[in-house]
Structures are given as structure tokens and as C-alpha cells.
């Protein structure tokens, strides 16, 4: 029987890894569909930001209540991996509480083991409370940023599924530990000494050792199968940010938010026009950023026109809505929601990736991110204030994608409001947004001097 359990465990584990890495390969390939972008500078600063923002949850604490609730689940998730390692080893070896058996008889070893399990159980209780609070915030209190239009349907269901899975995993942990404690007590007169699980032992008082063994196995298998199912589910869920938040923060832009991401080819052309000593027939220099020196098109119409960091941003989105809650356009009833921009980019990328898998690399469905997913009205509502960038807890930059899509609208489709066209013409002809000749710019000073006289 023990051998059968080991074989079943190994087969389920192997199937889990196969399904997870199959989907991970699909996501990696999709991200690589984006244009190249070289990001290899300031490695020390990038690693520091990753530790503070992705691992340390620094930006979460701008809003304390959800921050502490999230921290409870986050820390419980990290520390619980210690017990998960023991469960995995037990599954591969057919042993029972291998770590405890290794330290049994040593007062220090047993104390450390009991302390770790007690810490895990205490954190699990906090995580249970936080999960209930999150369910209430989404479904009862209906916090505005969690109930916006883009959160209807699958996004809401996805969030609730994850929260219920967390409750299920916690229940399995206490069923496993409580039944195991009660069985040891019934067989030997002693138990493992876990104080929190020990408080549950009266619930198992009327069960026989054999029944307690079954209940312990139900908790053990229920927990590990839940973990395996969660691992397979993650690539299809917003909780992919558990893994992608770290590289996404590492590769985030380090320079000031207000600096526009100009196209290098256009910038070089302007410099050439302004340099009287430049040779207009000289070969263009290679791009430092890995981008085309002379692009085939300006801006982005579909996901393949964005760079790989934009696409990594889309997959890293937590759908928390902090960006949309801070967006002045969204707050004043405009159609723009930065979260929707990221969700639409991810959805379109998934659609393109599946089409390539089914029909080959030359597949086209005559659809695009601009138009079919994101409208002109949304893009024009953006004030470029960077509030969404500032608020994102995993350093996503929706503004970069908005810039690229607007750039395509204006430079490729000549699609801009009349007010913008007037400004463009003034800049081209007068070197300023105003309809004044450059020779008249100092007339205001003349009028000032007349006033003094």
C-alpha cells in the first residue's frame, strides 16, 4: 500500500510539473513575441528595488488595511513552504513527518520543529481571517476599485476561486495536524505538542485511531493535491504575479517617471536636422536599446508592436485596481481604466499566442489591440500624469503602452483631435504650441517696458 501511494504521488507530481511548464513555456513564448528591448544596466539598484518592492511589499503599504491583510497571506504563503517541503519528501519516500523523526528525542530539535509548525499554524489563522476579509471586500462591501466594469465575469470569479482555494488549503492543514495529534495521543498517550492543533483535539475525541488515520490522510492528500492544482492554475490566473512580480520589478524603468520614452529613430533624425556639421548621407549608428534604427511603423497597433517588457507588464498585472482608483480620468467618469489597458493587452496576447499555436507563425485574424480591444476614446482620456505608474505595487507601467498606441494613432493613422492638429502645426511652423511667429515671442517684454514708462 505504501509503494502504491509513492507511485501515485510521483505520477501526480510529474503531471503537475508537465502542465505547469507547458503553460509557462506558452507564456514565455508570448512575451518574446514583443520587440527586443535591452535592459541590463544598474544591476545593483535593480536587485535592491526587487527586494524592497516585490519581496518586501513596500508599495502595498500606501493603504494600510489591505496591506496588512495581504501581508498576512503573503507571509503565511512563504513560511508554509517549510511544511510543504516535509510533505513533498514524505510523499516521495512514503515516510510520515520525516523532519520530526530526524529530531525526535532531541529537546532542541523537537522544540525547533514544534516552533516552526506552531508559527505556520498561527500564520494560517491570520491568513484565514485575511481571506475572509478579502472575500467580504469583493462580494459584500464591494469596494469600488474591485467592482469596476472590467472586473465582471471571469476576473471576479478568478479572484474568488483563489480565495476559496486558500481557505481550503488552510482547512486541510488543520485537519491533517489535528487528526494526527489525536491519533498519536490515542496510540501512545503523547502528542506532537502543537498548541494550536492541540486545541482542535476535542473535535476528534470520539474517533478511533484507524478513522483518525483516514482523516489525517484526507487532510494530507487534500492539501498537497490543492497545492498541485493551484500550481497548474496559476498560469491561467491573475495570481501569476506571485512569480512574475520579481522579474517585472527588476526590469522596471529606473529613470524619472516624467521623462517620455522617445523613439530613438525620431530623436536621431531631429538631432541630425539641428546639427550643421552632420552628414545627412552617413550610415545610421546601431541602436543601443536593441530597437530598429528605422522602424517599419511608428508606435504600436497590436501586441507584437510592443516590446517584451510591455508584455511582461501585462502578464504581471495583479488586477488590484490601485492604478484605476488613482487615475484622474477614471475618477471623473472617463472611459479610461489603466487596469483594463493591462488586462486587454494580456487577453489579446493570449489570443494571438493561441492562434499561432493553431495556425502557425504567420497567423492573422484581422484583429488588433488598438480598435478591437482598446478604443481611441480610452487613449485620449489619459492625462499622462503617471498616477497609475506610481500606484502599481509591482511596478507596471500602463502609460508606456498608452503612449505607443497613441503614437500609432497620430503618426500612422493621422488620427488626432482638431485641437491637437492645431498644436502640432504650430510646433512645426513656429517651434511652440502657440500661433505666434518666433520673431514675436518677446513682444510681451516690449509691452512691459511701455507700461513702466
Amino acid at each position: 500500500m505504501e509503494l502504491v501511494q509513492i507511485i501515485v504521488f510521483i505520477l501526480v507530481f510529474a503531471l503537475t510539473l508537465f502542465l505547469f511548464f507547458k503553460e509557462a513555456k506558452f507564456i514565455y513564448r508570448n512575451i518574446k513575441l514583443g520587440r527586443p528591448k535591452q535592459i541590463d544596466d544598474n544591476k545593483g539598484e535593480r536587485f535592491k528595488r526587487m527586494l524592497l518592492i516585490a519581496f518586501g511589499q513596500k508599495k502595498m503599504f500606501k493603504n494600510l488595511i489591505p496591506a496588512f491583510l495581504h501581508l498576512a497571506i503573503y507571509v503565511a504563503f512563504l513560511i508554509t513552504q517549510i511544511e510543504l517541503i516535509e510533505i513533498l519528501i514524505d510523499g516521495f519516500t512514503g515516510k510520515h513527518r520525516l523532519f520530526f523523526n530526524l529530531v525526535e528525542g532531541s529537546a532542541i530539535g523537537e522544540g525547533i520543529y514544534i516552533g516552526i509548525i506552531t508559527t505556520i499554524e498561527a500564520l494560517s489563522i491570520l491568513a484565514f481571517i485575511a481571506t475572509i476579509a478579502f472575500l467580504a471586500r469583493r462580494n459584500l462591501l464591494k469596494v469600488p476599485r474591485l467592482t469596476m466594469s472590467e472586473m465582471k465575469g471571469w476576473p471576479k470569479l478568478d479572484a474568488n476561486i483563489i480565495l476559496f482555494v486558500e481557505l481550503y488549503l488552510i482547512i486541510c492543514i488543520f485537519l491533517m495536524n489535528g487528526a494526527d495529534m489525536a491519533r498519536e495521543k490515542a496510540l501512545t498517550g503523547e502528542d506532537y505538542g502543537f498548541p494550536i492543533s492541540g486545541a482542535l483535539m476535542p473535535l476528534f475525541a470520539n474517533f478511533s485511531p484507524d478513522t483518525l488515520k483516514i482523516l489525517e490522510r484526507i487532510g494530507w492528500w487534500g492539501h498537497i493535491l490543492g497545492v498541485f492544482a493551484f500550481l497548474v492554475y496559476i498560469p491561467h490566473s491573475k495570481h501569476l504575479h506571485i512569480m512574475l512580480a520579481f522579474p517585472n520589478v527588476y526590469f522596471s524603468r529606473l529613470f524619472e517617471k516624467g521623462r517620455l520614452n522617445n523613439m530613438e529613430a525620431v530623436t536621431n533624425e531631429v538631432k541630425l536636422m539641428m546639427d550643421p556639421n552632420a552628414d545627412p548621407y552617413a550610415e545610421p549608428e546601431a541602436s543601443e536599446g536593441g530597437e530598429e534604427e528605422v522602424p517599419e511603423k511608428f508606435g504600436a497597433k497590436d501586441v507584437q508592436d510592443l516590446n517584451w517588457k510591455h508584455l511582461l507588464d501585462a502578464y504581471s498585472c495583479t488586477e488590484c485596481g490601485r492604478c484605476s482608483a488613482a487615475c484622474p480620468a477614471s475618477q471623473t467618469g472617463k472611459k479610461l481604466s489603466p487596469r483594463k489597458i493591462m488586462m486587454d493587452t494580456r487577453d489579446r496576447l493570449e489570443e494571438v499566442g493561441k492562434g499561432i499555436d493553431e495556425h502557425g507563425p504567420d497567423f492573422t485574424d484581422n484583429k488588433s489591440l488598438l480598435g478591437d480591444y482598446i478604443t481611441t476614446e480610452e487613449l485620449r482620456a489619459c492625462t499622462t500624469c503617471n498616477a497609475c505608474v506610481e500606484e502599481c505595487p509591482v511596478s507596471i507601467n500602463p502609460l508606456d503602452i498608452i503612449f505607443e498606441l497613441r503614437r500609432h494613432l497620430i503618426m500612422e493613422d493621422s488620427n488626432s483631435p482638431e485641437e491637437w492638429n492645431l498644436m502640432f502645426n504650430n510646433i512645426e511652423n513656429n517651434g511652440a504650441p502657440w500661433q505666434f511667429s518666433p520673431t514675436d515671442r518677446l513682444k510681451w517684454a516690449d509691452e512691459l517696458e511701455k507700461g513702466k514708462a
Side-chain angles (χ1 to χ4, degrees), residues 365-417:
D365 57 2
N366 297 316
K367 295 169 64 177
S368 64
L369 178 64
L370 177 57
D372 292 296
Y373 282 80
I374 300 173
T375 64
T376 302
E377 181 182 352
E378 293 173 78
L379 298 175
R380 289 180 182 170
C382 178
T383 67
T384 67
C385 68
N386 273 288
C388 56
V389 183
E390 176 64 27
E391 289 298 315
C392 181
V394 293
S395 297
I396 291 170
N397 194 324
L399 192 55
D400 264 1
I401 294 178
I402 293 173
F403 272 153
E404 293 300 323
L405 296 175
R406 287 210 306 207
R407 183 172 278 153
H408 182 92
L409 276 176
I410 294 171
M411 301 185 73
E412 291 286 335
D413 296 343
S414 299
N415 184 346
S416 56

Side-chain angles (χ1 to χ4, degrees), residues 43-270:
K43 293 182 174 60
E45 177 64 21
R46 293 185 178 281
F47 188 74
K48 177 183 175 181
R49 286 168 60 91
M50 183 179 70
L51 287 179
L52 289 175
I53 297 175
F55 184 77
Q57 308 282 290
K58 178 182 177 181
K59 296 181 74 173
M60 288 289 295
F61 284 87
K62 292 182 177 181
N63 194 339
L64 290 181
I65 293 177
F68 279 113
L69 293 174
H70 186 274
L71 183 66
I73 295 177
Y74 175 66
V75 174
F77 173 80
L78 292 179
I79 303 301
T80 304
Q81 304 313 305
I82 299 174
E83 188 169 20
L84 180 61
I85 292 172
E86 183 182 43
I87 292 175
L88 287 171
I89 294 175
D90 288 351
F92 284 119
T93 61
K95 304 296 182 181
H96 180 66
R97 292 197 182 273
L98 179 63
F99 288 174
F100 181 79
N101 293 333
L102 291 175
V103 300
E104 190 173 10
S106 167
I108 296 177
E110 288 186 10
I112 293 174
Y113 183 87
I114 293 170
I116 291 174
I117 299 300
T118 301
T119 301
I120 290 172
E121 291 185 341
L123 290 171
S124 296
I125 291 176
L126 292 176
F128 190 92
I129 295 171
T131 303
I132 295 295
F134 278 134
L135 281 168
R137 283 166 59 84
R138 287 183 176 274
N139 302 286
L140 298 178
L141 301 177
K142 296 185 178 180
V143 175
R145 66 180 171 87
L146 302 177
T147 56
M148 296 173 70
S149 59
E150 67 265 21
M151 295 304 293
K152 295 179 180 178
W154 168 248
K156 179 180 178 179
L157 178 62
D158 174 38
N160 284 330
I161 286 173
I162 293 297
L163 292 172
F164 280 115
V165 168
E166 289 171 0
L167 293 179
Y168 164 80
L169 292 174
I170 294 169
I171 291 171
C172 285
I173 285 178
F174 283 108
L175 175 61
M176 176 183 71
N177 288 346
D180 201 17
M181 287 267 290
R183 182 172 182 271
E184 283 295 309
K185 187 73 172 179
L187 292 176
T188 66
E190 298 181 358
D191 55 53
Y192 294 109
F194 309 147
I196 299 178
S197 292
L200 300 175
M201 287 174 60
L203 298 176
F204 304 99
N206 297 322
F207 293 107
S208 67
D210 290 339
T211 302
L212 291 171
K213 177 67 174 177
I214 293 173
L215 291 175
E216 185 273 336
R217 288 289 88 188
I218 291 174
W220 189 92
W221 276 103
H223 184 77
I224 195 61
L225 290 177
V227 170
F228 288 165
F230 180 70
L231 188 61
V232 173
Y233 182 74
I234 279 179
H236 305 276
S237 166
K238 74 186 186 73
H239 274 67
L240 185 61
H241 74 268
I242 293 173
M243 300 175 181
L244 293 187
F246 293 88
N248 197 68
V249 172
Y250 180 86
F251 289 115
S252 61
R253 56 191 278 179
L254 300 180
F255 53 85
E256 57 273 13
K257 296 181 181 66
R259 188 196 305 179
L260 298 181
N261 188 18
N262 295 320
M263 295 187 69
E264 191 169 358
V266 175
T267 301
N268 290 340
E269 186 68 21
V270 172

